[in-house]
């Protein structure tokens, strides 16, 4: 594959309404796991103007103050002023929570999966993090946009924001950046020309490698010309509505299950983490330049329905050989995944913005490559 084509990925700041919902759901999960590591949690959050609703199924032996978690999360993301449409100190908070269904519990209690579904993991050699370049650059731009806002210079930025990066590829090799989009919520009195100049100079240029830019690269800053109404006031926020931002930016398939608010007995989360861990170790071992792994589960069953490997023609050994190594050396039952990745600890709120994968700022276990040497040796490389 050597044709040229474009591929785009997006990210959002922690002040985006859907990401606020993810962070609240995962903050509730972390608090529950702190008090009771065996908590069963499926926590969903909805945000709109001046109101947060937290609902779901929670079975636990501990107690957490959910309204306080909601308010703290909003304030930390920058929602400290009623003019922003929601203020962590004064917004309404509604709670509707009940215990996990016994029909689900009877399958999980015996070590089975908490639901049916398929999950994917992906890794590639495009970046040091073994992630696709478009999503990594989009995340870095979103983090930089947030950092500039928090610095107070310029002082007109508000918490909501989105980024998008379009990369030109030659085969599987990124060769240049074709387009960059940054949408930054701002005070209504600031002219577009000022915002564009500040975003290019303070957000884009410090992040994007100059060797990937050329005179054909296009910049889109607040393409509608104004972004003054944002956050939950401009768009209702819901848990689990940014699953492509959370994963690989669309590079690689997705099973459809969201992560945030779910304890690790939910294979939507734990198995997706495990597939990333395995795919990253396969690529780090040099078995392939790109690797996607699919796994599927049935509710109540411990063993997966299938494990499928695709290296897109980049494998140094056959895909079937890699699949056999995975089956031999990785226990993919839910309980084994939880134990291997140590998933019953409170660490999830930190992943709820700027992606769950490729996180060099966090020591999350699914990003480790501690199995690469073994895979390389067993593959005979």
């Amino acid at each position: 594959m050597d044709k040229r084509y474009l591929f785009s990925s997006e990210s959002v700041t922690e002040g985006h309404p859907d990401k606020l919902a993810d962070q609240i759901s995962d903050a509730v999960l972390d608090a529950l796991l702190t008090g009771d590591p065996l908590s069963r949690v499926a926590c969903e959050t909805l945000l709109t103007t001046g109101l947060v609703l937290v609902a779901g199924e929670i079975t636990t032996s501990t107690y957490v103050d959910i309204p306080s978690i909601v308010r703290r999360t909003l304030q930390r993301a920058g929602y400290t002023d009623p003019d922003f449409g929601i203020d962590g100190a004064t917004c309404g908070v509604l709670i509707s929570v009940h215990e996990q269904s016994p029909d689900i519990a009877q399958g999980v209690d015996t070590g089975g999966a908490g639901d049916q579904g398929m999950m994917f993991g992906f890794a590639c050699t495009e970046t040091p993090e073994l992630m696709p370049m478009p999503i990594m650059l989009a995340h870095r731009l979103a983090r930089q946009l947030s950092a500039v806002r928090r610095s107070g210079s310029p002082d007109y930025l508000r918490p909501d924001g989105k980024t998008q990066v379009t990369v030109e590829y030659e085969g599987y090799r990124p060769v240049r950046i074709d387009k960059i989009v940054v949408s930054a919520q701002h005070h209504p009195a600031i002219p577009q020309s000022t915002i564009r100049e500040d975003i290019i100079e303070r957000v884009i240029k410090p992040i994007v490698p100059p060797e990937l830019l050329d005179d054909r690269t296009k910049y889109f800053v607040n393409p509608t010309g104004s972004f003054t109404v944002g956050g939950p006031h401009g768009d209702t926020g819901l848990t689990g509505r940014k699953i492509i931002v959370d994963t690989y930016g669309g590079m690689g398939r997705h099973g459809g299950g969201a992560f945030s608010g779910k304890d690790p007995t939910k294979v939507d989360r734990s198995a997706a983490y495990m597939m990333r861990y395995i795919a990253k170790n396969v690529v780090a071992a040099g078995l392939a330049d790109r690797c996607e792994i699919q796994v599927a589960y049935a509710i109540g069953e411990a063993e997966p329905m299938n494990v499928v490997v695709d290296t897109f023609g980049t494998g140094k050994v056959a895909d079937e050989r890699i699949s056999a190594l995975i089956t031999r050396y990785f226990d993919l039952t839910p309980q084994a995944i939880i134990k291997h990745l140590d998933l019953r600890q409170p660490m999830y709120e930190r992943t709820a913005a700027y992606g769950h994968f490729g996180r060099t700022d966090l020591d999350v276990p699914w990003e480790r490559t501690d199995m690469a040497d073994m895979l390389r040796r067993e593959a005979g490389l």
Side-chain angles (χ1 to χ4, degrees):
M1 181 180 179
D2 55 4
K3 69 175 182 179
R4 288 214 172 208
Y5 60 96
L6 301 176
F7 193 92
S8 303
S9 295
E10 72 158 352
S11 184
V12 298
T13 67
E14 76 266 28
H16 186 279
D18 294 327
K19 274 290 137 209
L20 286 170
D22 287 342
Q23 290 167 88
I24 290 169
S25 293
D26 271 340
V28 171
L29 172 63
D30 279 353
L32 288 162
L33 292 177
T34 298
D36 176 11
L38 298 179
S39 294
R40 302 275 177 83
V41 184
C43 179
E44 312 290 344
T45 303
L46 178 148
L47 303 95
T48 188
T49 305
L51 178 67
V52 180
L53 168 63
V54 179
E57 300 81 49
I58 296 175
T59 301
T60 186
S61 64
T62 192
Y63 169 80
V64 299
D65 184 350
I66 294 178
S68 292
I69 293 171
V70 169
R71 298 185 189 283
R72 183 172 64 248
T73 305
L74 287 170
Q75 291 173 319
R76 188 165 54 242
Y79 288 95
T80 57
D81 188 330
D83 286 344
F84 295 173
I86 193 166
D87 176 8
T90 61
C91 68
V93 180
L94 301 178
I95 311 296
S96 181
V97 171
H98 57 84
E99 290 188 341
Q100 183 184 71
S101 162
D103 296 336
I104 297 174
Q106 67 182 351
V108 177
D109 290 344
T110 58
D115 202 351
Q116 74 173 45
M118 66 267 191
M119 302 85 207
F120 291 89
F122 183 82
C124 62
T125 56
E126 292 176 26
T127 64
E129 299 86 359
L130 303 185
M131 286 283 288
M133 181 176 287
I135 189 64
M136 290 307 297
L137 287 177
H139 283 325
R140 289 172 190 160
L141 287 168
R143 292 176 72 100
Q144 179 70 3
L145 176 59
S146 182
V148 169
R149 174 185 64 83
R150 290 176 180 276
S151 75
S153 179
D155 62 1
Y156 58 76
L157 293 175
R158 291 181 172 178
D160 199 356
K162 302 180 76 172
T163 64
Q164 184 171 285
V165 178
T166 300
V167 174
E168 183 173 345
Y169 282 80
E170 187 175 84
Y172 291 134
R173 183 174 66 91
V175 294
R176 58 180 292 274
I177 294 174
D178 190 67
K179 299 177 186 72
I180 297 173
V181 183
V182 179
S183 296
Q185 187 188 10
H186 60 88
H187 189 281
I190 309 303
Q192 168 70 3
S193 57
T194 299
I195 298 170
R196 177 180 174 85
E197 180 181 352
D198 285 342
I199 293 298
I200 290 175
E201 292 299 321
R202 303 189 188 200
V203 176
I204 296 175
K205 286 187 176 179
I207 295 300
V208 179
E211 63 272 17
L212 293 174
L213 303 172
D214 57 30
D215 56 5
R216 294 181 294 147
T217 302
K218 298 180 179 66
Y219 303 94
F220 298 85
V221 177
N222 288 1
T224 66
S226 179
F227 185 7
T228 60
V229 179
H233 185 45
D235 186 13
T236 299
L238 292 170
T239 299
R241 204 158 59 175
K242 282 288 176 283
I243 58 176
I244 300 303
V245 172
D246 287 340
T247 52
Y248 309 102
M251 186 84 71
R253 286 166 283 195
H254 197 296
F259 300 156
S260 291
K262 297 177 181 177
D263 76 82
T265 66
K266 312 295 190 297
V267 284
D268 278 343
R269 180 168 224 159
S270 55
Y273 287 173
M274 190 65 172
M275 293 306 102
R276 163 62 179 172
Y277 171 71
I278 298 172
K280 187 174 183 182
N281 275 272
V282 166
V283 173
L287 274 62
D289 292 334
R290 298 170 77 83
C291 181
E292 182 184 79
I293 306 173
Q294 185 206 45
V295 68
Y297 291 89
I299 188 168
E301 294 293 323
E303 294 293 338
M305 300 293 100
N306 73 287
V307 180
V308 181
V309 174
D310 189 350
T311 61
F312 307 92
T314 70
K316 308 305 185 291
V317 296
D319 291 357
E320 293 78 12
R321 174 62 174 153
I322 297 173
S323 182
L325 289 171
I326 292 170
T327 302
R328 179 177 179 183
Y329 289 106
F330 295 90
D331 187 337
L332 300 182
T333 61
Q335 288 187 345
I337 291 173
I338 291 169
K339 181 178 180 181
H340 188 90
L341 297 181
D342 193 16
L343 295 179
R344 293 199 185 275
Q345 55 179 308
M347 58 180 173
Y348 297 106
E349 184 186 2
R350 299 175 298 166
T351 69
Y354 310 114
H356 294 246
F357 305 133
R359 296 297 295 269
T360 58
D361 59 315
L362 303 175
D363 183 23
V364 288
W366 55 87
E367 288 299 310
R368 297 170 187 165
T369 54
D370 53 330
M371 299 290 283
D373 287 344
M374 181 275 296
L375 289 173
R376 187 183 305 111
R377 182 177 63 251
E378 293 301 310
L381 297 181

